[in-house]
Amino acid sequence: MRLTTKGRYAVTAMLDLALNADQGPVCLADISRRQDISLSYLEQLFAKLRRAKLVTSVRGPGGGYRLGRETAEISVAGVIDAVNESVDATRCHGQADCQQGSKCITHHLWCDLSDEIQRFLSDISLQELVRREEVRTIAQRQKAALDSLENDPATITVSSS
């Protein structure tokens, strides 16, 4: 059992958005740089998150994304579900055909584990994660690292016309 990159990145990006929501719309390029996630991948994820109404987009200069609901109303499980992921501990993906079309002897054990994981992730909101001191400390470190890169003259590129 494992949570795929899609689910992990979606949760990471939504948490980044929640942490930076007080600064107005957050552009995906900023999330991409802070979290080291491909911009094109974020665009795909945010299209799904927008369809699930977990985020709204703001067009134009200074545009980006805002949370579609309050942080207390967005669960980790909801984010994972929105990007069409599931945390499934069974080999058969819950189809009960684990052993040549029949249930294996541990099928119900792994189904129960999947249910527990789903319950656990459903009980954790973005608000709870944002309030965690360790999350805030890491977010501050990421922002400082990004700010120092942007202010470093060695990283400035000059375009020729």
Side-chain angles (χ1 to χ4, degrees):
M1 185 240 18
R2 69 181 195 139
L3 180 61
T4 67
T5 302
K6 188 191 312 185
R8 288 180 190 275
Y9 283 177
V11 172
T12 299
M14 286 292 286
L15 182 54
D16 184 290
L17 182 60
L19 285 161
N20 292 287
D22 61 336
Q23 300 165 13
V26 178
C27 72
L28 292 184
D30 288 345
I31 296 173
S32 172
R33 286 190 296 269
R34 279 190 297 267
Q35 303 307 326
D36 196 24
I37 302 172
S38 155
L39 181 58
S40 62
Y41 201 69
L42 282 174
E43 289 167 347
Q44 293 171 33
L45 292 175
F46 271 73
K48 292 178 180 189
L49 294 167
R50 192 174 65 242
R51 280 193 293 276
K53 298 185 179 1
L54 294 179
V55 298
T56 58
S57 59
V58 178
R59 295 190 174 269
Y65 284 89
R66 294 182 189 270
L67 293 173
R69 302 180 197 155
E70 295 296 319
T71 55
E73 298 172 17
I74 301 173
S75 72
V76 171
V79 173
I80 293 169
D81 290 342
V83 295
N84 303 320
E85 282 296 295
S86 66
V87 180
D88 181 11
T90 65
R91 280 192 331 209
C92 64
H93 305 290
Q95 300 300 310
D97 60 357
C98 0
Q99 197 169 38
Q100 292 91 33
S102 299
K103 289 180 190 172
C104 68
I105 61 173
T106 55
H107 177 80
H108 294 289
L109 170 69
W110 305 129
C111 284
D112 291 348
L113 176 60
S114 296
D115 292 343
E116 286 297 318
I117 293 169
Q118 182 69 25
R119 258 190 301 281
F120 173 78
L121 296 175
S122 293
D123 288 343
I124 300 174
S125 69
L126 287 182
Q127 181 180 60
E128 291 173 51
L129 294 175
V130 165
R131 288 181 175 169
R132 288 185 178 180
E133 185 61 36
E134 66 272 15
V135 169
R136 296 183 83 67
T137 300
I138 293 167
Q140 289 169 351
R141 185 200 73 221
Q142 289 172 332
K143 186 174 178 350
L146 186 60
D147 289 347
S148 71
L149 275 176
E150 290 174 353
N151 294 326
D152 183 355
T155 62
I156 298 174
T157 56
V158 179
S159 63
S160 58
S161 301

